[in-house]
Amino acid sequence: MIGLTVSSLTKKYNRKIVFQNLSFSYSAGVLGISGSNGSGKSTLLKCLAGLARPNSGSVEWKKRGKTVEKDEFKNLIGYAAPYINLYDELTVFENLEFLAEVSLQKKDVSSLNELLEYTDAFGYRDKLYKSLSTGQQQRVKLASSLIRNPEILFLDEPGSNLDKNGHELVKKIVADQKSKRTFVILASNDEREIALCDEIIALSN
């Protein structure tokens, strides 16, 4: 069981306060972060994932009641977001192969192919990542976020640039991860995606 406790979290950029004295705890299901563009959804997600440092306050992750240290935490997470890019000069398959290697995941060719089939990206596995449309790239990003079989999955605007079938993919990923008892945090201003969440933190500008 993974648990998250956020206490008095504040993040500023220069004089702009993104959010202030934010406190909450959560331990099961899918946690949504909603709000309009510029409300701080991505910033909060980055703080929760350790990709951005808050100005004050704390973020504590626990696993089976014990605090998760930074080194262990990195091995527990998957992350998909518009601002996290893969390698343009590698093919789709080479990107996944490389990510599996640096993540110390023993993934054979068939398991990586299965991941691409799962996200409907197998048809362009041998194409250069930079040659793909933004929607195709998003499918590959979603595949890459699942390589570690994460216990904590961060999804920032997961349906961005996806068509109707792509939104069904997001729905499938969230449902499948929830059934695995993965701790999912989904940040979005898309009502369809927020509807997939069990609890919601609403941010305002």
Side-chain angles (χ1 to χ4, degrees):
M1 175 73 74
I2 301 285
L4 168 65
T5 302
V6 174
S7 303
S8 303
L9 205 67
T10 296
K11 181 62 179 176
K12 304 175 186 176
Y13 288 115
N14 298 319
R15 293 183 179 180
K16 175 178 170 56
I17 297 173
V18 183
F19 45 78
Q20 190 170 28
N21 294 325
L22 188 63
S23 297
F24 62 90
S25 59
Y26 198 68
S27 60
V30 183
L31 177 62
I33 302 173
S34 69
S36 59
N37 291 335
S39 61
K41 300 186 301 297
S42 294
T43 300
L44 177 55
L45 209 65
K46 289 176 185 176
C47 288
L48 299 181
L51 301 179
R53 182 175 295 178
N55 294 84
S56 60
S58 63
V59 175
E60 184 181 30
W61 289 94
K62 287 189 174 182
K63 182 177 179 180
R64 300 188 186 94
K66 294 184 178 180
T67 299
V68 178
E69 302 300 334
K70 286 183 179 180
D71 288 344
E72 181 187 0
F73 180 72
K74 288 187 293 185
N75 295 322
L76 297 180
I77 70 170
Y79 202 113
Y83 44 83
I84 293 183
N85 275 309
L86 303 181
Y87 294 95
D88 281 345
E89 302 303 323
L90 297 181
T91 66
V92 168
F93 187 81
E94 287 169 344
N95 263 292
L96 293 195
E97 206 170 31
F98 175 74
L99 290 171
E101 184 178 339
V102 298
S103 302
L104 303 179
Q105 300 295 309
K106 294 181 179 179
K107 299 283 187 182
D108 57 22
V109 171
S110 62
S111 62
L112 293 178
N113 283 340
E114 284 175 10
L115 198 52
L116 289 172
E117 287 173 351
Y118 179 74
T119 57
D120 296 323
F122 183 79
Y124 33 91
R125 73 186 288 278
D126 296 319
K127 291 186 177 181
L128 292 179
Y129 180 75
K130 68 178 179 181
S131 72
L132 304 181
S133 69
T134 53
Q136 290 171 335
Q137 288 182 350
Q138 181 64 11
R139 288 179 180 276
V140 179
K141 288 179 185 181
L142 290 170
S144 70
S145 73
L146 301 174
I147 281 180
R148 280 195 177 107
N149 296 313
E151 294 184 50
I152 306 167
L153 179 62
F154 296 90
L155 298 173
D156 194 349
E157 305 287 356
S160 59
N161 301 309
L162 293 179
D163 56 14
K164 182 180 178 180
N165 289 337
H167 287 289
E168 287 300 315
L169 169 62
V170 171
K171 187 176 179 180
K172 179 174 71 170
I173 289 173
V174 171
D176 289 349
Q177 293 302 309
K178 184 178 177 179
S179 71
K180 294 179 181 178
R181 304 181 71 84
T182 304
F183 192 121
V184 180
I185 306 182
L186 191 160
S188 180
N189 59 7
D190 187 323
E191 292 180 359
R192 293 168 297 179
E193 293 176 356
I194 291 300
L196 303 174
C197 303
D198 298 305
E199 286 194 28
I200 300 164
I201 296 167
L203 300 179
S204 58
N205 293 69

